Amino acid sequence: MSRSAIELSRRDAKRRDTEDRISDRAQRLVEQHGLDGFPMEDLAAAADVSRRTLFNYFPSKLDAVLGNVPEIPEDVRAEFVRGGPHGVLVEDLASLGHAILDRQDVHRDQVRRLQHILTTNPRLLIAVHGRFEEICTDIVGLVVRRDPAIGDLRARLLVRLLVTVFDSVMAAYVDGDDRPLADQFDEHLAAARALLS
């Protein structure tokens, strides 16, 4: 790996650490005071960043609480549309799931806290639903680009089934399953496929 690639990797890791710290502090503040119970200045102080830095990472309090939308790397997206990496649609969708999970630093307490604040703050729940629709629409678009014959309806149904598998994995994780999330995802997906076959 070249020196510039190492530097980029370090910068990316530092940026993600800062994003995670800001989101964690935002969620804690919401849990203690409610979404409208603290100003952005308090969040900046709690996250140990300047107000300007805070807004460089997140344009609003709501975005800080929810964190950034998970991204699928461009090379992974391109490989999926070309028909890979396995050549089987469901397996390749699982690979997209892995790409998202691999970029997330998930902690059980943080997932529990987020679940709690979502159920007690309707605006956050609405925002999460909007993000969910945005991510689903993006992945549906990739499926249809890969195989136009599948159509929008079946692509959307398939993506929603995979989201259900992901929800099942997160519930198992919160309940104490410490195995890597990608391994759990594969196991739950295999169980779903067996049930539907």
Side-chain angles (χ1 to χ4, degrees), residues 66-87:
L66 298 179
N68 285 318
V69 175
E71 292 181 12
I72 303 169
E74 281 304 318
D75 59 328
V76 174
R77 296 166 68 88
E79 182 179 35
F80 175 83
V81 170
R82 284 193 308 267
H86 305 288

Side-chain angles (χ1 to χ4, degrees), residues 41-108:
E41 289 78 8
D42 288 358
L43 174 54
D48 195 27
V49 295
S50 70
R51 193 171 191 278
R52 180 178 177 181
T53 298
L54 175 60
F55 281 104
N56 284 338
Y57 279 88
F58 297 106
S60 72
K61 189 189 300 184
L62 196 123
D63 290 310
V65 172
L66 298 179
N68 285 318
V69 175
E71 292 181 12
I72 303 169
E74 281 304 318
D75 59 328
V76 174
R77 296 166 68 88
E79 182 179 35
F80 175 83
V81 170
R82 284 193 308 267
H86 305 288
V88 178
L89 181 58
V90 173
E91 297 299 325
D92 293 340
L93 279 167
S95 292
L96 292 182
H98 282 215
I100 292 170
L101 289 171
D102 289 346
R103 295 178 65 84
Q104 302 300 307
D105 192 15
V106 180
H107 301 283
R108 185 173 286 116

Side-chain angles (χ1 to χ4, degrees), residues 13-29 42-50 53-54 57-58 64-65 67 105 107 110 113:
K14 184 177 178 186
R15 180 170 184 80
R16 275 192 277 163
D17 286 346
T18 302
E19 284 176 1
D20 290 345
R21 186 175 69 251
I22 292 169
S23 287
D24 178 71
R25 299 316 184 275
Q27 291 168 11
R28 290 174 189 271
L29 286 168
D42 288 358
L43 174 54
D48 195 27
V49 295
S50 70
T53 298
L54 175 60
Y57 279 88
F58 297 106
V65 172
D105 192 15
H107 301 283
Q110 193 170 17
R113 184 181 317 114

